[in-house]
Amino acid sequence: MSASAVHSLWTTAATAAEPISKIDAPKIEYGQLSPTLIVLGAAVVGVLVEAFVPRKSRYYAQVFVAVVALAAAFSAVVALAASGYGTTKAHIAAMGAVAVDGPALFLQGTILLAGILGVFTFAERRLDPEAHGNRVDAFAAQAASVPGSDSEKAAVKAGFTTTEVFPLLLFAIGGMLVFPAANDLLTLFVALEVFSLPLYLLCAVARRKRLMSQEAAVKYFLLGAFASAFTLFGIALLYGYAGSVSYATIAHVVDGTVTNVDPALAGTMGNDVLLLMGMALVVMGLLFKVGAVPFHMWTPDVYQGAPTPVTGFMAAATKVAAFGALLRLLYVVLPGMRWDWRPVMWAVAIVTMLGGAIAAITQTDIKRLLAYSSIAHAGFILAGVIATSPDGVSSVLFYLGAYSFVTIGAFAVVTLVRDAGGEATHLSKWAGLGRRSPLVAAVFAVFLLAFAGIPLTSGFAGKFAVFKAAAEGGAGALVVVGVISSAIAAFFYIRVIVLMFFSEPKPEGPTVAVPSPLTTTAIAVGVAVTLVLGVAPQYFLNLASQAGVFVR
């Protein structure tokens, strides 16, 4: 066929087609997206505060903006849940991009509460000794200056502080709010980047041990970039498979119930190789964020190098957001592929539980120990994901809520134990802490017992719920491995308690700094939630089971 003939075909096809209609304006339900919009709006206000408010007043302005915004966003989540958006009115908002349903609201509420406690630990200014008459926090005086350089020394002398951490924290929380509620793959990816990039920066701005902090940030950034690339490639393959990035459409193509097929995609649509590879790559990106073995290698280094307030916030909130997204992907998009993904998840859960617990035994640094502990917890939560039942969803929601408060509380306690070089994170320094400061040691012991899953703590209620759901879902063998891993994990938690209470304190040992009311509040809330969820978990388990239904 000649070129002119082809061209005439194109022109006749164009004229034969109906006239192009107007592009419809997008319909956005601002009220239902208000929690995210409030947080991102406050983050933009925080950037303006950095630009226009004098340096002396910035700290107070930023803390005020951050706390008010997070409290307002949490109120918005509660209002949405109270007006039925978690149950009867659950639906897909923002032109199909975001789901407003029980799991999304529950996880958003958890992230916002963790964020408020995170702001409190970020704003702590009484732990480090005053530098040149100025109170200082955990963050570098001037993040842009080279560690040890003259400009850094001048910034310390002038009493500068990095108040940009507050808008960065708000941007990260904004991304985390969208991540578990995303209802198409592009929204998922944008949310992933929005919360990852601020975290890479926050890891690099420690006041003490700055080189180690920057090394942690570079490792996290490089490995995170790889994981994002895998995720994006997986999204491309799933688009090729289903002809859409919408969760619902992909689920219909997987089930074989799709009706209108785009002729351009008819050739690749339903090609199972694209589906399996795309699914594997997207799930791999989410397992990286969760910190599951074998995608966990960044966790100990980043947890150890990042400023401790950042580590505590990141360990709590990132897990909540990433598990929320993983649940939605597996339960809403790929329920038809259950027989393909369950065996893989079994293997990942088993190596994660055992790998995290066994590696933690050999650790000599308290932050690395908590990092490996968080890897083991990712394995326990995966047991609930594998259950593929409504109980599985609600047990995972409950576990995430309980775990996030324990984690922030535990890292807040770590910030208090200090020597001349800053935080004393080596375990040998913690010997005899129970005699030197019984209250701090007792509080830390409560958090460690919760991590170990001892009865009357939130950790026991969470583990029991997850293992029960897994056993009822036919994963009994997984529960046996989980119980063995819990026993191994209990060994190293109790070893720290023994070290604190039954060892002689060293004369040159660390001191316990007296925190301001901010950190005290974060730790007190952590203890209160840990004990309340342990002693009387039923109300919160019911809340999680009401919130456990995804909108499709």
Side-chain angles (χ1 to χ4, degrees):
M1 196 183 278
S2 68
S4 60
V6 172
H7 186 254
S8 70
L9 274 176
W10 274 112
T11 47
T12 49
T15 48
E18 58 219 53
I20 296 169
S21 59
K22 286 182 183 156
I23 297 173
D24 292 328
K27 182 171 173 290
I28 306 293
E29 297 87 340
Y30 292 104
Q32 290 153 45
L33 303 178
S34 56
T36 312
L37 297 175
I38 291 168
V39 172
L40 291 174
V44 174
V45 171
V47 173
L48 296 174
V49 167
E50 285 300 311
F52 296 112
V53 172
R55 193 183 285 276
K56 275 207 166 35
S57 319
R58 275 181 209 167
Y59 164 80
Y60 298 102
Q62 293 285 24
V63 174
F64 176 76
V65 167
V67 172
V68 168
L70 293 173
F74 181 71
S75 311
V77 168
V78 172
L80 286 171
S83 51
Y85 284 105
T87 47
T88 50
K89 289 195 202 166
H91 72 125
I92 309 295
M95 310 280 291
V98 177
V100 181
D101 59 6
L105 292 174
F106 189 94
L107 294 167
Q108 286 177 341
T110 307
I111 290 165
L112 289 165
L113 289 177
I116 292 173
L117 297 186
V119 171
F120 287 172
T121 55
F122 274 45
E124 176 59 60
R125 292 187 125 177
R126 284 204 198 154
L127 298 179
D128 267 314
E130 290 192 357
H132 304 284
N134 296 295
R135 284 187 173 172
V136 294
D137 52 22
F139 302 101
Q142 194 160 7
S145 55
V146 177
S149 65
D150 292 337
S151 67
E152 185 186 45
K153 286 171 189 161
V156 171
K157 206 165 190 176
F160 290 176
T161 49
T162 303
T163 44
E164 301 94 280
V165 294
F166 295 102
L168 284 173
L169 177 73
L170 289 174
F171 278 120
I173 293 172
M176 287 173 185
L177 294 180
V178 178
F179 198 54
N183 196 57
D184 68 47
L185 292 168
L186 281 184
T187 310
L188 182 85
F189 183 73
V190 171
L192 175 73
E193 293 306 300
V194 168
F195 84 77
S196 297
L197 293 171
L199 289 178
Y200 301 150
L201 289 171
L202 286 170
C203 287
V205 294
R207 181 174 285 271
R208 309 284 186 99
K209 300 181 183 160
R210 281 199 63 197
L211 287 171
M212 190 174 167
S213 171
Q214 291 178 353
E215 180 197 351
V218 170
K219 282 178 178 167
Y220 191 21
F221 171 64
L222 288 174
L223 291 169
F226 270 110
S228 294
F230 281 129
T231 309
L232 197 56
F233 190 40
I235 289 170
L237 294 177
L238 285 175
Y239 178 72
Y241 167 78
S244 171
V245 289
S246 156
Y247 282 7
T249 310
I250 298 171
H252 286 318
V253 179
V254 172
D255 295 341
T257 54
V258 68
T259 47
N260 50 343
V261 179
D262 188 328
L265 291 156
T268 56
M269 209 164 188
N271 180 341
D272 284 354
V273 177
L274 290 178
L275 171 65
L276 290 168
M277 287 181 65
M279 177 180 82
L281 289 169
V282 174
V283 169
M284 195 193 303
L286 294 176
L287 288 176
F288 171 87
K289 277 289 166 217
V290 164
V293 179
F295 313 105
H296 68 294
M297 295 313 291
W298 61 277
T299 311
D301 292 346
V302 173
Y303 279 28
Q304 188 184 7
T308 308
V310 175
T311 309
F313 168 73
M314 190 168 75
T318 308
K319 265 212 183 10
V320 177
F323 266 113
L326 184 65
L327 274 175
R328 190 174 295 277
L329 191 74
L330 295 180
Y331 280 55
V332 175
V333 185
L334 304 167
M337 299 291 293
R338 184 176 304 172
W339 304 112
D340 296 281
W341 61 255
R342 269 189 81 169
V344 178
M345 288 306 215
W346 264 70
V348 170
I350 288 171
V351 294
T352 304
M353 288 190 282
L354 289 172
I358 293 167
I361 292 176
T362 61
Q363 298 308 310
T364 56
D365 184 278
I366 194 82
K367 283 171 79 174
R368 286 183 84 83
L369 185 137
L370 290 173
Y372 279 108
S373 142
S374 84
I375 293 168
H377 282 284
F380 298 139
I381 301 172
L382 280 171
V385 174
I386 289 166
T388 59
S389 64
D391 279 354
V393 179
S394 59
S395 68
V396 169
L397 297 181
F398 179 84
Y399 199 122
L400 288 169
Y403 171 81
S404 54
F405 287 99
V406 182
T407 305
I408 290 181
F411 279 105
V413 174
V414 172
T415 62
L416 303 184
V417 183
R418 310 179 89 78
D419 57 15
E423 288 162 10
T425 56
H426 199 278
L427 270 179
S428 62
K429 304 265 181 72
W430 287 58
L433 190 73
R435 302 188 185 185
R436 189 165 282 167
S437 181
L439 181 64
V440 169
V443 165
F444 197 60
V446 169
F447 291 137
L448 290 176
L449 291 173
F451 280 136
I454 304 296
L456 298 183
T457 63
S458 60
F460 174 76
K463 270 186 189 162
F464 183 79
V466 166
F467 287 162
K468 178 170 170 274
E472 287 172 355
L478 196 65
V479 176
V480 175
V481 177
V483 172
I484 294 169
S485 306
S486 294
I488 298 171
F491 166 73
F492 61 78
Y493 296 127
I494 291 170
R495 193 182 71 183
V496 177
I497 296 174
V498 169
L499 181 78
M500 292 193 296
F501 286 100
F502 300 104
S503 303
E504 285 301 321
K506 293 179 180 168
E508 74 286 357
T511 55
V512 174
V514 179
S516 70
L518 293 167
T519 298
T520 313
T521 306
I523 295 172
V525 169
V527 173
V529 171
T530 302
L531 295 175
V532 168
L533 293 187
V535 177
Q538 197 55 51
Y539 170 76
F540 299 95
L541 284 166
N542 292 344
L543 196 67
S545 64
Q546 281 171 12
V549 183
F550 288 102
V551 62
R552 280 173 168 66

